[in-house]
Amino acid sequence: MGLLDRALNIGESKRFKEYEKRVARISAYEAELEHESDDGLRARMDALREQTRELPEERIDGALADALPEVFAIVREVGRRTMNMRHFDVQLIGGMVLDSGAIAEMKTGEGKTLTATSAVVLNSLAGRGVHVVTVNDYLAKRDAEWMLPIYDACGVTVGILQSDMHPEDKIAAYR
């Protein structure tokens, strides 16, 4: 392995250790959230959303970083309840990678669609809108509708863009 490869691996290893620490913080919420009612989970999300939206713009990114463990834990619990799909730790890490603005490479069948839900819900708290880009109309519609129970339970509205939509409908979907 060359010097550059070793340096890159060291950097990735350090980042991965940070992700593992965050997964531990997320998992620490699990026992508590299992006993929370569906309405209680929604109320927690609504409270986090309200707290975030009351902040000045320059403090929002820090608040989202602070809220990440609780939001990811709530999304994990909601996924388990609504769809019988509990995010694996690696999917939580994928959500953190997406939240950081990086690309999370995952193979077919590893749960990219579920992975994205945690980052989408977290970033929706600020009310700025979150856009998930999917390669074609069929997959965009399928994936949005498939994950809709999670988004609904977390108070996130979803719009779906299709290439044959009228401009007014596209504007509504973006909102």
Side-chain angles (χ1 to χ4, degrees):
M1 188 180 317
L3 180 61
L4 181 59
D5 290 334
R6 282 195 305 250
L8 290 174
N9 284 338
I10 290 168
E12 291 301 314
S13 175
K14 185 177 179 181
R15 186 174 299 146
F16 188 76
K17 286 179 183 176
E18 179 57 37
Y19 290 148
E20 285 181 318
K21 289 178 187 175
R22 288 186 190 167
V23 168
R25 288 193 296 256
I26 293 164
S27 295
Y29 280 96
E30 199 156 17
E32 174 186 344
L33 295 178
E34 285 177 349
H35 300 291
E36 189 82 65
S37 68
D38 292 347
D39 289 340
L41 292 175
R42 175 62 182 267
R44 287 174 85 133
M45 286 302 307
D46 290 344
L48 288 164
R49 185 174 296 108
E50 186 176 323
Q51 291 168 10
T52 304
R53 291 184 182 176
E54 290 175 354
L55 293 172
E57 184 68 28
E58 65 272 6
R59 294 195 45 221
I60 289 177
D61 288 340
L64 293 177
D66 292 344
L68 186 147
E70 184 175 5
V71 171
F72 275 43
I74 293 169
V75 173
R76 178 187 249 183
E77 180 63 21
V78 166
R80 186 188 66 75
R81 289 182 191 190
T82 61
M83 303 182 66
N84 199 29
M85 298 176 80
R86 181 186 175 275
H87 295 69
F88 290 105
D89 291 353
V90 70
Q91 291 170 317
L92 295 174
I93 292 170
M96 290 179 236
V97 169
L98 293 173
D99 175 59
S100 75
I103 295 171
E105 183 178 351
M106 298 173 75
K107 295 178 184 173
T108 299
E110 289 186 329
K112 291 180 286 292
T113 305
L114 183 64
T115 295
T117 58
S118 54
V120 168
V121 171
L122 175 66
N123 285 279
S124 74
L125 292 179
R128 298 186 226 166
V130 176
H131 301 273
V132 177
V133 179
T134 305
V135 296
N136 64 47
D137 283 358
Y138 167 75
L139 291 175
K141 188 173 193 296
R142 181 201 71 180
D143 291 355
E145 290 174 348
W146 184 20
M147 295 295 119
L148 198 56
I150 293 174
Y151 295 131
D152 281 345
C154 292
V156 176
T157 58
V158 175
I160 303 168
L161 292 173
Q162 301 285 277
S163 59
D164 61 351
M165 291 173 78
H166 290 94
E168 306 84 40
D169 295 331
K170 285 185 179 183
I171 290 169
Y174 272 115
R175 287 189 183 131

